[in-house]
């Protein structure tokens, strides 16, 4: 994993702990959960597209949303998607700021979009499993958007 992706993963884990109150760690040996929701966001890193994405089980997705919002959003899919989208946007904003401090221009290009199901890039530039108390999360990035979804 190159430095950009190491910094992104660190920013993601820090944001998850700070804003969703979920401690997590990279662990590529953990099994995949089923019944996925995937969310992605288009960033620009020094003039190159960078699509970062997070996939999780439905239960983990609701737990992320509830952790970020501070109230249970179980069963409230639209609100949960909004909450996780906002969490992802905040984490990516902090990543952007962190990278600017190192001299790399990272900009958020579009709001998060989501997809009901498991989706992965055809040619990922990185992919890792994140183990957390709410389940296994899949963090990944690509140079092209791979979610056939509308912005939410």
């Amino acid at each position: 994993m190159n430095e950009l992706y190491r910094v992104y993963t660190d920013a993601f884990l820090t944001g998850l702990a700070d804003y969703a109150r979920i401690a997590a760690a990279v662990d590529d040996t953990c099994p995949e959960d089923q019944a996925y929701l995937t969310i992605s966001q288009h960033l620009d890193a020094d003039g190159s597209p960078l699509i970062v994405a997070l996939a999780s089980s439905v239960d983990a997705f609701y737990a992320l949303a509830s952790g970020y919002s501070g109230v249970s959003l179980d069963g409230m899919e639209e609100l949960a998607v909004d909450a996780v989208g906002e969490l992802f946007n905040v984490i990516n904003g902090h990543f952007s700021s962190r990278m600017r401090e190192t001299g790399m221009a990272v900009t958020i290009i579009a709001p998060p979009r989501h997809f009901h199901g498991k989706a992965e890039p055809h040619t990922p530039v990185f992919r890792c499993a994140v183990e957390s108390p709410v389940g296994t999360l899949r963090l990944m990035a690509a140079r092209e958007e791979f979610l056939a979804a509308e912005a939410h």
Side-chain angles (χ1 to χ4, degrees), residues 1 6 8-17 21-31 54-55 64 126-139:
M1 185 180 304
R6 188 197 61 73
Y8 183 80
T9 301
D10 182 57
F12 176 80
L13 294 173
T14 299
L16 205 58
R21 297 174 264 318
I22 296 172
V26 171
D27 181 359
D28 284 321
T29 65
C30 53
L54 172 67
L64 289 171
F126 93 91
R127 181 181 189 274
C128 64
V130 175
E131 183 61 29
S132 77
V134 301
T136 302
L137 314 173
R138 297 288 168 193
L139 190 60

Side-chain angles (χ1 to χ4, degrees), residues 35-57:
Y36 272 78
L37 282 170
T38 305
I39 193 163
S40 72
Q41 188 163 31
H42 183 169
L43 310 178
D44 179 273
D46 272 346
S48 296
L50 178 65
I51 314 304
V52 291
L54 172 67
S56 73
S57 71

Side-chain angles (χ1 to χ4, degrees), residues 20-96:
R21 297 174 264 318
I22 296 172
V26 171
D27 181 359
D28 284 321
T29 65
C30 53
E32 286 199 36
D33 292 337
Q34 300 299 313
Y36 272 78
L37 282 170
T38 305
I39 193 163
S40 72
Q41 188 163 31
H42 183 169
L43 310 178
D44 179 273
D46 272 346
S48 296
L50 178 65
I51 314 304
V52 291
L54 172 67
S56 73
S57 71
V58 173
D59 290 342
F61 198 84
Y62 281 127
L64 289 171
S66 296
Y68 180 66
S69 68
V71 296
S72 175
L73 296 176
D74 287 354
M76 295 184 247
E77 184 176 317
E78 190 170 326
L79 290 175
V81 167
D82 285 345
V84 174
E86 182 59 29
L87 171 64
F88 207 49
N89 199 50
V90 168
I91 289 170
N92 289 333
H94 283 280
F95 168 68
S96 173

